[in-house]
Structure formats: C-alpha cells, structure tokens
Amino acid sequence: MKVSNFFAGLGAGLIAGAVTAILSAPKSGEELRTSIKSSGSEWKESMNELKARINELKDSINHLTEESKTQVPEAVDGLKASLQSWQEDTAPAKEHLQLEIKAIQNSIEQLQASISKDKNEEEKKNDRPTKIDPKLAKNKDDSETA
C-alpha cells in the first residue's frame, strides 16, 4: 500500500468523523465552533508530528541504503579474499592428500594381486593329483584287511 493512499484514507476518515461529530453534537453553535477550532488545531499538530516521524523514517532508510552500498561490497570483497587465501593455504595439503590416496590405491591393488596370485597357487596345489608311495599303499592295504 502506498503512503499517499494511506493519507488519503486517513483524511477521508477524519473528515467523516468530524461531520458525524458536528451533526450529532448536543452543543450550541458557539460551543461547536470553538470545539471544531480546537479539534482542528489538535489534528494539525498530530499531522505535523506524523509528517516529522515519516521524514525521520525516510532519512533513516536513506542513510541505511547509502551505508549498505559501501558496506556490502566491502564485506563481499573481504569474503572473496578470505576464501582465496584459504584455498591457497590448503592447496599443498590437498596435493599431499591426493598423493597419499594414490599410494593407498596402489597398495590395495598390489595386495589384491598378491592375494589373487596366492589363491591361484593354492587352488593349483589342491587340484594336482598326489603321488602315492607304493610302500605306503601296501601298508595301507594290509591294515585294511586285518
């Protein structure tokens, strides 16, 4: 809602209230005129006070706007500089971590290859038929028949 619409509504309300007060007042004409004059001057004072407060509010808003125009860019520049500095400070650590990760990956691959090789050798040993010593086979046959 615009300020001008607010004041137009306020003025219309004040006029309607004044007319209603005049028509429903149980005073004489002289008393009524005196009352209207005092009410009018009170309204004038109230309106002047309201205007002064609105002007103060406008000044405060303008001051904040001007201040933010300088403060916000400075803060953004400061944040950008801090971020860039942080990235530069952490770059060596990042590179070191990447090298360590590669070394760990290589170690894991070597370990997997070694395990796979050992497993294959174990399977080959288990798949080979074993030679039976004839002397042992003879003793075994004798013990089974006894």
Side-chain angles (χ1 to χ4, degrees), residues 6-141:
F6 172 75
F7 286 120
L10 182 64
L14 290 174
I15 292 170
V19 170
T20 303
I22 290 171
L23 295 177
S24 64
K27 298 180 184 179
S28 68
E30 184 69 31
E31 292 173 348
L32 190 57
R33 282 191 293 272
T34 306
S35 175
I36 290 173
K37 284 181 184 178
S38 66
S39 294
S41 64
E42 287 175 11
W43 287 352
K44 228 182 210 182
E45 288 175 22
S46 296
M47 287 304 216
N48 288 335
E49 187 177 317
L50 183 62
K51 282 182 183 179
R53 286 185 180 180
I54 289 173
N55 286 334
E56 287 175 15
L57 182 62
K58 283 181 181 178
D59 291 342
S60 295
I61 290 172
N62 288 335
H63 176 71
L64 285 174
T65 303
E66 291 300 319
E67 194 171 308
S68 68
K69 284 181 182 177
T70 58
Q71 296 292 328
V72 170
E74 289 175 7
V76 168
D77 291 341
L79 286 173
K80 284 180 181 177
S82 295
L83 180 62
Q84 185 175 2
S85 173
W86 177 78
Q87 287 175 337
E88 290 171 358
D89 291 346
T90 58
K94 180 181 174 184
E95 290 173 12
H96 179 71
L97 286 173
Q98 287 174 340
L99 291 174
E100 283 187 22
I101 289 170
K102 284 182 182 179
I104 291 170
Q105 287 174 337
N106 288 338
S107 296
I108 290 172
E109 288 173 2
Q110 289 174 355
L111 184 59
Q112 286 176 338
S114 174
I115 290 172
S116 176
K117 181 180 174 184
D118 291 345
K119 197 175 195 180
N120 288 339
E121 288 177 5
E122 186 68 30
E123 288 176 358
K124 286 180 183 179
K125 284 181 184 178
N126 290 337
D127 289 344
R128 268 193 249 156
T130 56
K131 293 184 182 179
I132 299 176
D133 190 8
K135 292 179 185 177
L136 290 176
K138 185 178 180 185
N139 288 341
K140 190 176 183 184
D141 289 338

